[in-house]
Amino acid sequence: MWKEFKAFALKGNVLDLAVAVIIGAAFGKIVTSLVNEIIMPIAGLLTGGIDLKDRVLEVTTDLKIPYGLFLQSVVDFFIISFSIFLVIKLANKFQRKEAVKVEVVETPAPAEDIVLLTEIRDLLKQQERGL
């Protein structure tokens, strides 16, 4: 069982996924910080100093629903989604440039003697078919 686990854990896809999860978590922290420290204060300034995180709906004295935290999470989601979209779009742009570079490379024209030998071969094939 240990050998099977080791083979599974060391597969390239599993390691790639682990790296992606770690980078994604770090990226999420960066975006959350961007939202909390930069975007939300600007949004609060534009909305007259309203801080969404502090918004609470008091149903009763015992029941309070902090919907502001939910709104903050929704904003985080949209910013993270948009950031990932931009990163993927940028990566696709670079991949297209690489593909164009590969297509631009031309193969050199064959030497004259090769062209002549090819023509002779084709003529001989035509004569054999005609006989």
Side-chain angles (χ1 to χ4, degrees):
M1 188 157 112
W2 173 251
K3 288 181 182 180
E4 288 179 45
F5 175 73
K6 186 177 173 183
F8 170 77
L10 296 179
K11 282 185 180 177
N13 293 343
V14 174
L15 293 176
D16 292 343
L17 181 61
V19 170
V21 167
I22 292 168
I23 290 174
F27 185 71
K29 288 181 182 181
I30 291 170
V31 173
T32 300
S33 177
L34 172 72
V35 170
N36 290 339
E37 280 79 32
I38 296 173
I39 293 175
M40 292 314 288
I42 292 172
L45 186 79
L46 294 175
T47 59
I50 297 172
D51 187 8
L52 290 178
K53 290 188 289 188
D54 296 334
R55 306 307 267 174
V56 177
L57 177 65
E58 290 189 36
V59 178
T60 66
T61 55
D62 294 334
L63 178 62
K64 297 179 182 179
I65 300 173
Y67 70 92
L69 294 174
F70 173 74
L71 293 177
Q72 179 78 28
S73 296
V74 170
V75 171
D76 286 351
F77 170 77
F78 282 116
I79 292 173
I80 289 170
S81 299
F82 185 70
S83 301
I84 291 172
F85 168 75
L86 291 178
V87 167
I88 290 172
K89 187 171 178 150
L90 184 66
N92 287 340
K93 185 177 180 180
F94 283 128
Q95 286 178 348
R96 276 189 241 128
K97 283 185 180 181
E98 291 295 323
V100 169
K101 287 180 184 177
V102 171
E103 292 173 14
V104 171
V105 176
E106 296 180 17
T107 57
E112 286 184 37
D113 56 345
I114 301 294
V115 172
L116 182 60
L117 288 171
T118 305
E119 289 175 2
I120 292 170
R121 182 198 64 200
D122 293 343
L123 286 172
L124 288 172
K125 284 183 181 178
Q126 285 178 357
Q127 285 179 355
E128 288 176 2
R129 289 182 195 150
L131 291 177

